[in-house]
Every structure is written in structure tokens, then in C-alpha cells.
Amino acid sequence: MSSPEIASLSWGQMKVKGCSTTYKDCKVWPGGSRTWDWRETGTNHSPGVQPADLEEVVRKGVKTMVIGRGMSEALQVPASTVDYLKKNGIDVLVLQTEKAVAEYNALAAQGVKVGGVFHSTC
């Protein structure tokens, strides 16, 4: 199964190819996507993305994880979260969301088992 292309990104809106939902924040993985609801794990801009936010995508067998920190990079990514991915043998890229989406789409187009979590506002 391949990772779906992120078809569009603008402030507060993301669309994933093959999915009718418009996301504010989303998680993507080979074969699927869904809303990234921060309330599920108590995520806030600081301390930011927690391993619990990534576990679902990690379980899909991704080899690379792309984390979009927001348009103005307000979303933090603690070293402990990066360490969690590395300990699971997963390469990680932490980027501003527009750059993250471009990188994710490039990896997906190359057939890499890539997953991501993307914040589409601040």
C-alpha cells in the first residue's frame, strides 16, 4: 500500500488525495488518513507533539515520519519525541508544514513507506 498524496494545503485546510474530508490537522500513513485531534492526547503547541500522537502512524509500519510544525512553526517537537521514533527505527523530518508536505509528497511519490502528522495553522 502506498502513502496517499496530500493534494492541497492552505491555512487551516488540508486535503488528501482519495479522501473527501477536509482536515485542519491530519495524520497520514500508507493506505489512509484521518483527522489529528489534539484532544485525544492532550497535545498543545508546547510541549508539542508527543509519542502518543505518533503511535497510530508508527503501527502502520512507516519507515519515515514527517512532522509539520505549522505555518509559523508554533508547534513544538521535543527531543523525546524524535528519540521515540529513532528508537523504533524510523527516520524523522521535522519541518515547517508547507515544507513538510512537499517532502512527504516527494517521499510518497518515490514509494517510501512514509507517514506524517501535519498542523495547518500557526
Side-chain angles (χ1 to χ4, degrees), residues 1-4 30 61-64 103-115:
M1 237 180 263
S2 60
S3 298
V62 299
K63 300 294 179 212
T64 302
E103 194 64 37
Y104 167 88
N105 279 342
L107 290 165
Q110 294 167 23
V112 174
K113 287 188 79 170
V114 61

Side-chain angles (χ1 to χ4, degrees), residues 25-113:
D25 299 322
C26 74
K27 296 182 178 188
V28 290
W29 58 82
S33 65
R34 78 170 184 93
T35 294
W36 179 17
D37 182 351
W38 292 14
R39 292 172 295 193
E40 292 173 359
T41 56
T43 296
N44 286 296
H45 287 101
S46 181
V49 183
Q50 303 301 305
D53 294 307
L54 307 175
E55 286 173 355
E56 174 182 20
V57 180
V58 167
R59 284 196 308 268
K60 305 292 184 182
V62 299
K63 300 294 179 212
T64 302
M65 179 78 72
V66 181
I67 301 173
R69 293 189 49 209
M71 300 300 214
S72 303
E73 299 185 86
L75 180 62
Q76 301 300 303
V77 181
S80 58
T81 298
V82 172
D83 291 345
Y84 161 77
L85 291 167
K86 288 181 176 175
K87 284 179 185 154
N88 279 281
I90 298 168
D91 294 328
V92 59
L93 297 166
V94 178
L95 301 163
Q96 185 268 356
T97 295
E98 290 161 309
K99 292 176 181 156
V101 166
E103 194 64 37
Y104 167 88
N105 279 342
L107 290 165
Q110 294 167 23
V112 174
K113 287 188 79 170

